[in-house]
Amino acid sequence: MFRVFNLTQERIVFLFALALLVAFAAFLPGFSKADNLLSLVRSVSVLGILGVAMALVVIGRGIDLSLVSLMAMSLAWSLQLVTNGMPLAGGLALGLAMSLVFGVITGFLIAYIEIPAIFATLAMGILIYGFGRLFLIDLDVVYLPDAAHSIVWIGAGNIEGIPIPVIVFALVCAVAALFLRYIKSGRFIRAIGDNPLTARITGLPVRPIVVMQYALSALVGFLAGLVTVTSVASMNTRIAISTFVYDIILVVVLGGIGLSGGRGGIRNVIVGTLLIGILINGMTIMNIQYTVQNVIKSVILLAAIVADTIINPRDEQTAQQGDI
């Protein structure tokens, strides 16, 4: 039926987001104010950046449940190092190195040891959080030290009235879209996601590309963490064991990127982020409890997965892999 009216999941979600925007503007006091709308787009920028990181993995027929854990612990360690006297550049470099090392390890486990992505990344997320709290970070919340105030503009500044986190999100989306469309390894990600067996038979370097996906996810996740700590001047490591990773999956799946791989793109992330941002902002203005908000988002995620199953049915090879 959707095909008859030329309506894809992406277009349906975009139309629903516009309808929600109009309804909230008409019935919620203060929603349509410029300050609130700027706050809305600023608040979902980090979610959108992490959505891009997740999309790079999901398009290649994977998933990354360790993304938030790695973001939180690598940035918290960077702040801890700078607080203890290390130069800012050195602290950030070591945090980035930690993020990339764990990303590569995760990709290796999935590509070469052939552990299903959902289990490998779930275990890695728990490992990263536990390792960080035991050996690297003393407190649940690590605050931005005075020595790092020179980078506060990344999360708190603006250019011509546009918040810099929004600009960062736009740049990440542009670079990722160009990568998937014009760079050979980016096109390989889509081909592997569409049919990994055919990709291997035709000579594509499937295993190295899978490792690269998780390294890229870790890199983009670190950038999202940098925007976070400069926005709120701290990193709460307990976000690693929160439900935030499911918000990221919600953005990706809701926007129309198929969990079966090979379908969708960065535009889908933007659409999904737009809808979730409008929904969360509206629910906050209506003073809906956080627990109730999570229930609503969970129902939407379930509906999005059902829609994905109908629009992008899993093939027999995917089912045999037992992978998400």
Side-chain angles (χ1 to χ4, degrees), residues 121-145:
T121 58
L122 177 61
M124 284 298 295
I126 298 170
L127 172 64
I128 291 165
Y129 177 72
F131 175 80
R133 287 310 318 273
L134 280 173
F135 300 109
L136 304 178
I137 300 156
D138 299 329
L139 302 171
D140 280 338
V141 181
V142 184
Y143 292 95
L144 192 73

Side-chain angles (χ1 to χ4, degrees), residues 111 170 182 225 246 255 270 280-281:
Y182 295 109
Y246 301 110
I270 297 172
I280 292 175
N281 188 267

Side-chain angles (χ1 to χ4, degrees), residues 46-86:
V46 170
L47 178 61
I49 295 170
L50 290 170
V52 172
M54 185 69 74
L56 291 173
V57 174
V58 173
I59 290 172
R61 197 175 284 209
I63 198 166
D64 191 357
L65 299 182
S66 67
L67 177 59
V68 174
S69 210
L70 186 54
M71 175 198 76
M73 303 314 292
S74 60
L75 263 299
W77 187 43
S78 290
L79 297 185
Q80 181 88 52
L81 291 171
V82 176
T83 300
N84 293 341
M86 179 174 286

Side-chain angles (χ1 to χ4, degrees), residues 26 28 99 190 206 213 260 287 300:
L28 291 183
S99 188
R190 193 178 299 279
V206 174
Q213 286 177 249
S260 57
N287 201 27
I300 294 173

Side-chain angles (χ1 to χ4, degrees), residues 248-302:
I248 301 167
I249 297 172
L250 174 59
V251 162
V252 171
V253 178
L254 189 62
I257 295 179
L259 286 174
S260 57
R263 298 177 178 88
I266 303 304
R267 193 171 62 187
N268 301 88
V269 175
I270 297 172
V271 171
T273 303
L274 176 66
L275 176 56
I276 295 305
I278 293 171
L279 182 65
I280 292 175
N281 188 267
M283 290 192 297
T284 302
I285 292 176
M286 288 186 285
N287 201 27
I288 296 176
Q289 292 182 354
Y290 182 72
T291 303
V292 178
Q293 290 188 28
N294 278 337
V295 171
I296 293 172
K297 288 187 291 184
S298 298
V299 171
I300 294 173
L301 176 58
L302 181 60

Side-chain angles (χ1 to χ4, degrees), residues 1 15 72 104 129 135 151 155 166 168 203 250 266 271-272 287 311 313 318:
M1 182 178 68
L15 291 173
V104 169
Y129 177 72
F135 300 109
I151 60 171
V166 178
V168 174
L250 174 59
I266 303 304
V271 171
N287 201 27
I311 296 173
T318 305

Side-chain angles (χ1 to χ4, degrees), residues 99-111 124 127 211 214:
S99 188
L100 290 175
V101 166
F102 275 109
V104 169
I105 291 172
T106 301
F108 181 85
L109 292 174
I110 294 167
M124 284 298 295
L127 172 64
V211 175
Y214 287 90

